[in-house]
Structures are given as structure tokens and as C-alpha cells.
Amino acid sequence: MKKKYILIDVLVVCAVIITVIVFAISQKEVNLSTETPQGNDTQKEEKIKKIVSVMKSKITLPVQIDRITTLVDITAEPNSILSKYVIHDVSPDIVNTWTNDTFKKIKTSSACKDIKTGLGEGINADYSYAVQDSSKTFFISITSQDCL
């Protein structure tokens, strides 16, 4: 049970930080519609770049999220905002119990709030987690379809 709680703690803290940043951006800093036309890729890419730029101006990377998670980068991808994390100081026995599905189940609720409040239709929230001193990685993509 302790293994699951560590992962949940990590993801909850990450979700809160990203939600606060995206909400602040969408409410105060980025004067763009919350609905991004899916047919206009240039507009969508510009919106993504602007959001990432504002996010990076608000925090100094890398930032320690909790005792085992560090946010190392936020990048603009063609259809998404990608948050990159490094997980450290966790036993390989615990890490080996984690899967992409584990991360997605825990992360979907908070990512859907980000999508609905700040990112807009057609912009995905992507998360990659690399485990320090290991080849183990996790990647999840949460789309507006996951939020139905």
C-alpha cells in the first residue's frame, strides 16, 4: 500500500502545481480563447507556445515538486504541452510496480481541469517521467476525449 501512496502523493503535488500555473495563465496572462479551432494548427501552436512561455516565466526550472519528483522542463509540442519530470530516490521495487496506466488514472482528473480551464479543445496535456539512474520511463497523454 505504501508504494501506491507514494505515487499518488507525487502525482497530486504535480497536478496541483500545473493546475495553478495553467489557471493563472488562462485567467490573467494569456489573452486567447479557451476554444482553439482544431482546423487552425498555426493558431493552436502559437497558443501552446505562449502558454509554455508564460509558464516558464513563472517558475525557475528545474523545480523540486516533492521529495522524489523534479519538474525539469515544459515544452511546446505541436498539439500539446509536455511536462517533463525526473523521479529520484525511489526503490526500484516500487518503481517496477508502476505503469503508464497507473499514472494516467491518477493524473486524468487534474489534467482535465487544465484542459477545460486553460488549454482548450484540441490541446493535450502530456507528461513524461524518467526514473533517475534507470532506463525506466513513463509517458501519458491526456486529451479532451479523456475528459468526457
Side-chain angles (χ1 to χ4, degrees):
M1 272 304 183
K2 185 176 181 181
K3 297 174 189 176
K4 185 175 181 179
Y5 290 124
I6 290 173
L7 177 60
I8 290 170
D9 289 346
V10 168
L11 293 176
V12 167
V13 170
C14 295
V16 169
I17 289 172
I18 297 298
T19 299
V20 168
I21 291 170
V22 169
F23 183 76
I25 291 167
S26 67
Q27 296 300 312
K28 296 180 183 174
E29 303 266 346
V30 178
N31 189 17
L32 296 167
S33 167
T34 58
E35 291 297 316
T36 301
Q38 291 192 24
N40 191 336
D41 289 338
T42 303
Q43 258 188 334
K44 182 169 43 173
E45 286 181 25
E46 288 304 314
K47 180 177 180 178
I48 291 169
K49 288 177 185 176
K50 179 70 172 176
I51 291 171
V52 168
S53 174
V54 172
M55 289 173 79
K56 285 185 164 186
S57 75
K58 297 290 180 191
I59 58 175
T60 302
L61 295 172
V63 61
Q64 187 78 28
I65 303 299
D66 58 29
R67 67 178 189 81
I68 64 169
T69 313
T70 302
L71 175 62
V72 294
D73 201 7
I74 303 168
T75 61
E77 302 296 322
N79 294 307
S80 65
I81 295 174
L82 173 60
S83 301
K84 299 177 182 180
Y85 297 90
V86 172
I87 298 172
H88 46 84
D89 301 324
V90 179
S91 163
D93 293 337
I94 293 173
V95 172
N96 288 333
T97 67
W98 298 345
T99 66
N100 285 331
D101 286 340
T102 307
F103 280 82
K104 189 160 186 167
K105 285 176 187 173
I106 295 170
K107 199 75 173 143
T108 298
S109 176
S110 63
C112 286
K113 289 177 190 172
D114 294 343
I115 289 169
K116 290 175 183 173
T117 61
L119 299 183
E121 188 73 28
I123 299 177
N124 302 331
D126 292 346
Y127 305 89
S128 78
Y129 297 86
V131 180
Q132 188 174 24
D133 300 326
S134 167
S135 61
K136 188 97 170 176
T137 60
F138 302 95
F139 179 85
I140 60 170
S141 182
I142 300 177
T143 69
S144 57
Q145 293 298 309
D146 294 313
C147 303
L148 299 176

